[in-house]
């Protein structure tokens, strides 16, 4: 297959994944993002502001 075919398949897969995440797991994604942000802030506090 040509490189353009791989790019098209990857683009379609990304669009489908984003659609599924937005419709099915939006609450879970928000929770994960919040936990990651809290962990990043805690790491910044621990390593730089201690």
């Amino acid at each position: 297959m040509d490189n353009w075919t791989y790019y098209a398949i990857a683009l379609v897969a990304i669009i489908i994944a984003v659609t599924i995440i937005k419709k099915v797991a939006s609450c879970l994604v928000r929770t994960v993002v919040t936990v990651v942000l809290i962990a990043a802030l805690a790491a910044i506090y621990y390593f730089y502001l201690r």
Side-chain angles (χ1 to χ4, degrees):
M1 283 196 279
D2 194 19
N3 283 340
W4 290 105
T5 307
Y6 291 125
Y7 292 138
I9 291 172
L11 183 63
V12 169
I14 290 171
I15 291 171
I16 290 172
V18 167
T19 303
I20 290 172
I21 287 172
K22 285 174 83 173
K23 290 184 184 268
V24 175
S26 63
C27 184
L28 178 63
V29 171
R30 286 188 197 119
T31 303
V32 170
V33 169
T34 304
V35 169
V36 168
L37 286 175
I38 290 172
L41 289 173
I44 290 171
Y45 174 76
Y46 180 75
F47 287 118
Y48 295 109
L49 300 176
R50 201 168 45 125

